[in-house]
Amino acid sequence: MMKRPLFLLFAAVTACKVEYHPYDTRVHGERNINEKNIARIEAATEGKQTIRFAVISDTQQWYDETEKAVEALNDCDGLDFVIHTGDLADFGMRSEFERQRDILNKLHVPYVTILGNHDCLATGETIFRMIFGSPDYAFTAGEVRFICLNTNALEFDHSESVPNFHFIEQELANFPPNAKKTIVAMHAKPFSEQFDNNVAKVFQYAIRQFPDLQCCLNGHGHKFTIDDLFEDGVLYYQCDNIEKRTYLLFTVDEKGYAYECIAF
């Protein structure tokens, strides 16, 4: 058998490059998206009595549909911001988050994202925190306080509570004086397999302490539903996955709120 020269073997090996490792956390491009966009949302909606926002969810793998969603949202009149209720990634890989970020950055309005259960796979939570920020956060748009929560209990051990009741207590204690209403957003709703249903009723009791709780928003189920989960009048609006090419559009004013399910 003819032997290959050593330099040819070296060239063959070095010519083969690995694009990424499933646990690669070397993030490229913009970081801290939520913090930056929250500043934009709060500045743009300060003093407004009426706000309009859209909800999209579960964009994992459906990049073409996400791009179409961005185009449709950019054509939506009077839109103030967009909430993505989680599962940007399918396998928690850096490249997935970066690609989704780069698509969503084409929105004409600011957006925020919520941690989904698929976003927690591999080193996904770490990458999510680097690119988007904390899994638990809040912001005020006009007169509405948005409480955004990690509810993917199945993806975490029990060293800390999921949902984060300490965060909820802090938000209750420091509710902004300029906010009059509340909306709670999450990825997995109570009674789904991801939620810690041992504390579902405690969770509902806790969030009902917020001033004038309007409704709750979630993704995860991949189909549009409206549920009064606890039969207490608090409705949970579950957004389609983006493959179905719809988004939810909410308008909140001094009278309450209205919603539409928009196909694109």
Side-chain angles (χ1 to χ4, degrees), residues 204-217:
Q204 188 70 0
Y205 174 81
I207 65 172
R208 287 201 63 189
Q209 306 311 302
F210 284 105
D212 200 4
L213 178 61
Q214 298 289 290
C215 62
C216 295
L217 313 171

Side-chain angles (χ1 to χ4, degrees), residues 135-186:
D136 299 299
Y137 60 93
F139 64 94
T140 304
E143 297 180 339
V144 184
R145 187 68 170 170
F146 287 81
I147 311 296
C148 301
L149 301 171
N150 169 29
T151 56
N152 307 292
L154 193 64
E155 305 303 325
F156 293 82
D157 59 26
H158 293 284
S159 59
E160 298 180 0
S161 65
V162 177
N164 187 336
F165 286 102
H166 179 64
F167 175 81
I168 293 171
E169 290 171 1
Q170 287 183 318
E171 283 298 314
L172 281 167
N174 298 286
F175 199 81
N178 61 314
K180 298 179 180 178
K181 306 174 187 292
T182 311
I183 291 177
V184 177
M186 66 203 80

Side-chain angles (χ1 to χ4, degrees), residues 165 198-208 230:
F165 286 102
N198 292 317
V199 298
K201 291 184 178 180
V202 177
F203 170 77
Q204 188 70 0
Y205 174 81
I207 65 172
R208 287 201 63 189
F230 296 88

Side-chain angles (χ1 to χ4, degrees), residues 11 15 43 55 57 76 89-90 94-95 114 126 139 143 152 158 163 176 200 202 216 242 262:
V55 182
S57 194
C76 182
D90 203 18
R94 173 183 58 79
S95 60
I114 292 172
T126 298
F139 64 94
E143 297 180 339
N152 307 292
H158 293 284
V202 177
C216 295
I242 208 68
I262 308 292

Side-chain angles (χ1 to χ4, degrees), residues 20 56-72 84 87-106 118-119 132 241-245 264:
Y20 50 78
I56 60 173
S57 194
D58 298 86
T59 56
Q60 66 232 68
Q61 291 192 347
W62 293 296
Y63 301 106
D64 291 343
E65 289 82 357
T66 305
E67 289 181 343
K68 292 297 183 182
V70 168
E71 292 174 7
H84 188 307
D87 276 0
L88 294 100
D90 203 18
F91 304 105
M93 298 177 70
R94 173 183 58 79
S95 60
E96 295 177 295
F97 289 105
E98 290 176 343
R99 187 172 177 185
Q100 291 282 351
R101 175 203 61 198
D102 293 346
I103 294 171
L104 294 171
N105 276 353
K106 296 175 184 177
H118 281 262
D119 298 330
F132 298 107
N241 64 326
I242 208 68
E243 183 190 27
K244 295 182 175 65
R245 296 180 61 131
F264 60 88

Side-chain angles (χ1 to χ4, degrees), residues 189-191 195 197 199-205 207-208 216 227-236:
K189 65 186 176 184
F191 305 125
F195 202 94
N197 289 306
V199 298
K201 291 184 178 180
V202 177
F203 170 77
Q204 188 70 0
Y205 174 81
I207 65 172
R208 287 201 63 189
C216 295
D227 295 299
D228 187 348
L229 292 178
F230 296 88
E231 298 182 348
D232 59 357
V234 177
L235 298 180
Y236 283 72

Side-chain angles (χ1 to χ4, degrees), residues 237-261:
Y237 291 84
Q238 178 174 279
C239 189
D240 277 329
N241 64 326
I242 208 68
E243 183 190 27
K244 295 182 175 65
R245 296 180 61 131
T246 70
Y247 65 86
L248 300 182
L249 179 64
F250 285 84
T251 302
V252 187
D253 58 24
E254 67 276 7
K255 297 178 182 178
Y257 72 90
Y259 82 93
E260 300 174 74
C261 184

